[in-house]
Every structure is written in C-alpha cells, then in structure tokens.
Amino acid sequence: MRRPETTEFWLNDRLPVPTALGLSLEQVAFLGALLVVPNLFAHNSVVPLGSLQYLDTASATLLACALGVFLQVLARWGIGAGYYYPQQSTPTVFAFMLVAGSQGGMALAYGMVFVSGLTQVLLSGVLARLRNIFTVEVAGVAVMLTGITTGKMGLEILFKVEARSVEPNALLVAAVTLGVLVFCNVWVRARFQAFTTLAGLGVGSLLAASLDMMPEGVWEEIERTPWMRMPELGSFGWQLDTDLVGLYVLMGLSLTLMSLGTQTVAQRAVDADWHIPDLRAYARGLRAEGVAHMVGSFLNAMPQSASGGAVGLATSAGCTSRYLGYWVAGALVFMALCSKLIVLCFAVPAPVIAALMLYLAALLIMTGLRLIASRMLDNRRSMAVGLGLMVGVANQYIVWGLEKSMPNLADFMRVAGGVNGILVALLLTLIFRLGATARTRRRFEVAATTADDLNRYIESQGRLWGARRDSVMRVQQTVWEAFDLVAHSGHIHANPPWLEVQTRFDDYALRVRFIYEGAPLPVAGTEPPSAEAMLEDPDAAARLSSYLLTRLARRVQIFERDGLSHLDLYFDA
C-alpha cells in the first residue's frame, strides 16, 4: 500500500481539530441535504419541515447513518471495512417501501428493512468467492455508473425535469458554484483543498441569497423548530410479512451492488498502488451496512445506500483518514438531536446542491474510467464492460420499452436504476468465462523465436486475463530475459533445442513456467557473483542472470521433474 500524492491525510492519520471540524461540516452538509428523501417518503409530498413525524424519521435515519460509518471505521469483530465510507438516503428504495406501506402501513415498510439488512449480511459471506467475476473492469463500471447516477440526480435537481424549465438565475448560481469547486480543486494548494466543498457551498448560497433564491418559507420553519429535541424512535412500530421477503431481498441485492462500487472508490483512494479489489474488506463493509439496516429497521430509519458522493467529497479534499468517520459519526448524532440543524439543511438552494453533485460525478466517472483503462481487455471483457455501461446509462429507455410487454421486468429495472448496468456486467463476465482458460502452453523453437514472438504471446494472454498493462509489460521483459538465459546457457540438450512456455493466472498472481530437456539452471544466490567469480567460475554468468531474474519477478523457482527442467517465474497480477 502506497500513499497517493494528492492525499494530505492518509488512512491512519489523525486529523487536526480545525480540519476535522471543517471536513465533518461539509460531509454532514452533503449527507443532510439528502434528508429530503425520508421527508418525501413519510408524507408522499412536501410538508412543513418542522413536523414531528418528519423530524423523528430524519433523526432515526441520521442515527442509523452514524452507526454505519462508526462500524466501518472501527473495523472490529469482522464488521467494518476499515476505511471511510458513509451511507446516504436514496430515492431508489421508494418503490420497495411504498409497496410494503400500501399493504401493512409504515410499520411493515420499516420492519421489512430488517430483511434487506440480513440479505446484505448473508451475501457478505459469499462475496470473497466472487473474485473471478467481480473483476477490476467490472468495479470500474460500478464506479462510473455511480458517478453517472450522481450526475443525473444533479441535472434533475437543476433543470427540474418534472416541474418547469430552469430559471437563468439558477443556471448562474450553479455555474458559479461549480466554478468555485473546480478552481479550488485545480489551483488551490493541497493543504487548503480540504475546504473546497465548504467554499463552493458558501459562495453558491450567498449568491443565491442575494438573488432571493432561498427555499420559500425555510426561515420561518427554522425559527419555529426547537434547537434540541429527543426523537421518538420506532414510533411507527415494527412488523414483518413473509409475502414481501422476496421484494426486500431484491432491495438488499441492489444495495449490495451499490456498495461494491462505492467501496471500490474508497479502496482506490487509499492506495496509489491499488490494482485488485480486496473482497474480504468488501465483505466486512457490506456486513456493517447490513447491521446498520437491521438496527435502523427498529428505529424506523430509511434504508440507505453507500455514498460514493461522500467518499469522492472526502477524497477531493485530500482526506482518506478513517478518523474522519469518528468525527462524522459524532456530528450526525448531534444533528439527529438538534432539530433546527435538520431543517437548516434545506436552506442550501437546489442549484448549489446540483453543482456539488455534478462536481462529484465528474470525479467518480474519471475514477471508474481509469480503473477500466488500467486493464488489458479482450473481446469478451470489452463486451461485458460496453453492454453494462449501455444498460446502466440507457436504463430508462429500456424501462419504457418493456412497460407494456413485460411489466414485472420493467418495474424491477425502474427500481434498480443504474444498478442494472452493474448486474449486466457481472452476468456477462460470468457467461464469458465459459471457454476461457487460466492455463495456456506453447512450445517455441529456440532458433526461430524472437522477442516479438514472446511479447505477442504474453500480450494476448494479458488481454484474455484482463491483467494490468504495467504488469504485462514487466512480464514481457522478464520472460524474454529468462528465455534468452535458458536458450544460450548450454543447458538445453534437445536437438533442435526447444522451450515450452506455460502460463497460469488466478486474478491475484501470474506464473510463467519454462520447461525444457536438459540440466536445470544454477540456483541464484542472495547476492550477485563477485568480480573474481565472474572470471574464474564458468557458471557465474548463469548465476548472475538467475539473480537478475529474482529482481524482476516476485519469486523464482528452479527444479527438475520427470527428466525435464523447470524454471518458474511468479508475478503480482
């Protein structure tokens, strides 16, 4: 693991109090702005923000979010990923909750969330076995679709698709806010980038206030709402219905796929040398989300999805410290008890929130694109990535086309949204593994083989496996060095001389094996041969070459079996 150059506060770095307060404030401002989701569900329309029913739901949701992020950064007892990523309210759960609410009321709608949380916990137990289908490029698709979904939400907020055309002042506020965010991210010194979002929110809100664009009636609601209030948790009750188990299992699966994309962003932000998803950490993170949902169902908290936007927000500020999670958890608990702060979140104008979402979407999309581009893709993997992105982006058009002919499938795809693209990429990756092999072998005639022949062979295998480009280039160099060493060492006894090259790939490691008839190479020592040995020992040159191979490959093995000599080279994938 290596610290990224743009990171000011790394994984285990403690935060200075002023920085921690500033970062916590912008995180809570972002997560709090999405509290409109429980408001819309609880009342199915916008009602006075200070109503006790809304405040209870919002407080429960904030407490569940605080529990989730605390478990993530604490990382104890197999629960928690060990890095910062919170959860946020999401409108994608509306359809599930409304179905349950229409059949058994709010108690059933919230009670069944327990099933979704349990689904996430159970799925975490098998996640580590899915490394062959949840590849880096699929993770890139998940991150890109997370960014695209965030961007679409921002555009919908800005242009008010369902209401009316956008006002010129709203475009001005959004453009200025986005400009401030981009300026701070590109030109401001690293130590001050932690306050990029606060600067954007502040400038955008002040401009909106000067143009009389603050939400109507928000100041009156803030004035009427008490400062501190103990929420009445679980006021709706708790109820289960076996007929709805399948529906809420589906919701748990959707939240799981969203989590995988967000955790990829978090892992990528922590490690500059990241190249393979840590599925065990994914499982621990997913387990923490499931526990938070199960506890939240008793509190009557809204289901929440992993927040790629919040992770991108912290990363853009140069902070990947898990200690930020403790500060954010504390701030969320305080906000859950301070009713006036809950309502104050709605004072941030919609164009400012839209600009922030567009800014985060750009960061997430480019992160996903870099993940995909880091791998060499053959036709199978290219099709899985391309079709997954197409379905995720054009999901709404597919829903419209299926509404009459396949209403059940259309309902599922409408609810899943961009998650459909991730699901398609996973399924195609699984299908395209049929006929693909992780083991290959090819015999080369020494006299007729050039470096280009070996390079083309290794490159073709790299595309088949989806290996990293830099790994494949390193393997190409080492394989030719090894081939040249064996071919001219005088150890091959076959006439004409030949070398068989075998490869094996398992997503985490790559092995290249040379097999030939003849004597095995001398085993490399821990130090290169001395100058005197090079002059006096006829095998010193071969030992020097073997030693150099140990510097290029992670591990080198030389042995003899069934009358054939073997040279094994091991590389990180």
Side-chain angles (χ1 to χ4, degrees):
M1 181 179 290
R2 182 168 61 88
R3 182 185 189 130
E5 294 180 359
T6 58
T7 298
E8 185 74 13
F9 302 101
W10 201 23
L11 183 61
N12 291 310
D13 292 346
R14 295 182 180 274
L15 303 175
V17 173
T19 302
L21 290 175
L23 291 174
S24 301
L25 180 59
E26 66 181 20
Q27 288 285 320
V28 169
F30 175 74
L31 297 172
L34 297 173
L35 286 176
V36 69
V37 173
N39 177 45
L40 292 176
F41 171 71
H43 307 285
N44 206 21
S45 62
V46 178
V47 299
L49 301 177
S51 66
L52 298 182
Q53 190 179 38
Y54 165 68
L55 291 176
D56 288 338
T57 304
S59 294
T61 302
L62 288 169
L63 291 174
C65 181
L67 174 63
V69 71
F70 177 77
L71 291 175
Q72 296 294 359
V73 297
L74 182 64
R76 293 287 190 274
W77 314 293
I79 300 174
Y83 39 77
Y84 175 75
Y85 84 92
Q87 295 167 263
Q88 68 180 36
S89 300
T90 173
T92 58
V93 301
F94 268 14
F96 300 100
M97 300 286 285
L98 290 174
V99 169
S102 64
Q103 295 188 17
M106 303 292 280
L108 181 60
Y110 286 115
M112 291 302 296
V113 175
F114 184 90
V115 175
S116 296
L118 182 60
T119 300
Q120 290 183 291
V121 172
L122 295 177
L123 287 175
S124 70
V126 300
L127 192 61
R129 302 178 183 273
L130 303 180
R131 68 180 188 180
N132 290 331
I133 61 172
F134 194 76
T135 57
V136 173
E137 62 270 15
V138 173
V141 171
V143 174
M144 281 194 71
L145 290 178
T146 300
I148 291 171
T149 301
T150 302
K152 288 172 65 177
M153 290 175 59
L155 291 174
E156 289 173 0
I157 292 173
L158 178 60
F159 290 98
K160 303 175 183 178
V161 175
E162 72 287 351
R164 60 186 184 276
S165 59
V166 64
E167 299 176 358
N169 284 346
L171 283 177
L172 175 63
V173 171
V176 171
T177 303
L178 184 59
V180 171
L181 292 169
V182 172
F183 176 84
C184 293
N185 182 262
V186 175
W187 285 289
V188 171
R189 297 176 64 180
R191 69 178 62 180
F192 299 111
Q193 286 184 356
F195 305 101
T196 294
T197 306
L198 286 179
L201 290 174
V203 172
S205 297
L206 289 175
L207 178 60
S210 68
L211 297 175
D212 196 23
M213 292 181 59
M214 303 304 286
E216 185 177 352
V218 69
W219 301 120
E220 291 78 5
E221 292 293 345
I222 293 174
E223 185 177 355
R224 286 197 297 264
T225 303
W227 273 104
M228 304 298 292
R229 174 181 174 273
M230 184 61 67
E232 188 177 346
L233 302 176
S235 58
F236 291 112
W238 193 87
Q239 186 179 345
L240 292 176
D241 186 347
T242 54
D243 293 338
L244 295 176
V245 168
L247 182 67
Y248 274 77
V249 167
L250 180 60
M251 184 170 80
L253 175 61
S254 299
L255 294 175
T256 296
L257 294 176
M258 294 179 192
S259 175
L260 298 182
T262 298
Q263 291 201 61
T264 300
V265 177
Q267 288 188 10
R268 180 75 169 76
V270 167
D271 185 8
D273 291 330
W274 184 92
H275 59 277
I276 294 175
D278 183 355
L279 295 187
R280 288 185 175 84
Y282 281 12
R284 295 193 300 270
L286 188 60
R287 209 168 292 135
E289 289 186 43
V291 170
H293 277 131
M294 289 191 288
V295 174
S297 72
F298 293 100
L299 304 180
N300 294 160
M302 284 292 292
Q304 302 176 77
S305 65
S307 178
V311 176
L313 192 62
T315 304
S316 67
C319 178
T320 58
S321 172
R322 64 186 183 89
Y323 286 98
L324 175 61
Y326 295 116
W327 285 90
V328 171
L332 290 171
V333 171
F334 177 78
M335 186 176 178
L337 301 177
C338 185
S339 302
K340 200 177 287 289
L341 285 181
I342 295 176
V343 181
L344 184 62
C345 286
F346 292 91
V348 181
V352 177
I353 297 297
L356 177 59
M357 287 188 166
L358 292 176
Y359 168 73
L360 297 175
L363 297 177
L364 290 172
I365 290 172
M366 289 310 301
T367 298
L369 187 60
R370 281 195 293 268
L371 287 176
I372 296 173
S374 70
R375 293 284 167 162
M376 301 180 66
L377 306 179
D378 64 352
N379 291 338
R380 301 177 186 224
R381 294 173 182 266
S382 297
M383 291 301 295
V385 169
L387 292 175
L389 286 173
M390 186 184 303
V391 171
V393 172
N395 176 72
Q396 188 60 50
Y397 299 104
I398 300 174
V399 170
W400 290 341
L402 296 176
E403 279 181 330
K404 294 183 178 179
S405 58
M406 299 180 183
N408 293 333
L409 179 59
D411 290 341
F412 166 76
M413 296 193 69
R414 181 183 294 108
V415 169
V419 172
N420 289 307
I422 307 173
L423 193 56
V424 167
L426 285 170
L427 290 175
L428 289 179
T429 301
L430 177 62
I431 293 172
F432 288 154
R433 285 186 63 83
L434 300 176
T437 178
R439 302 169 182 259
T440 61
R441 62 174 61 196
R442 181 174 170 183
R443 179 172 292 193
F444 292 89
E445 299 292 337
V446 171
T449 302
T450 65
D452 289 339
D453 296 330
L454 281 174
N455 287 344
R456 282 192 293 267
Y457 172 67
I458 297 297
E459 183 176 349
S460 66
Q461 300 309 303
R463 293 185 183 279
L464 177 64
W465 300 323
R468 287 185 299 155
R469 294 181 182 275
D470 57 338
S471 293
V472 171
M473 294 177 64
R474 185 170 63 253
V475 171
Q476 287 176 327
Q477 175 189 359
T478 309
V479 165
W480 174 246
E481 292 284 349
F483 185 93
D484 190 60
L485 165 64
V486 176
H488 298 93
S489 64
H491 288 71
I492 300 179
H493 299 161
N495 190 19
W498 55 266
L499 271 171
E500 182 176 294
V501 181
Q502 298 181 0
T503 59
R504 180 180 177 180
F505 183 76
D506 67 354
D507 294 322
Y508 288 87
L510 168 65
R511 185 197 70 191
V512 180
R513 169 173 291 174
F514 293 89
I515 301 177
Y516 59 92
E517 290 183 5
L521 292 173
V523 177
T526 57
E527 298 290 338
S530 63
E532 293 78 8
M534 292 294 295
L535 295 174
E536 300 173 0
D537 186 354
D539 290 331
R543 283 204 306 274
L544 176 61
S545 297
S546 298
Y547 171 78
L548 293 176
L549 290 178
T550 64
R551 309 296 295 175
L552 295 173
R554 178 168 58 84
R555 185 159 61 99
V556 177
Q557 281 188 323
I558 299 172
F559 59 94
E560 191 173 6
R561 180 187 299 166
D562 299 330
L564 297 175
S565 295
H566 294 66
L567 169 62
D568 286 0
L569 306 176
Y570 293 87
F571 304 88
D572 291 326

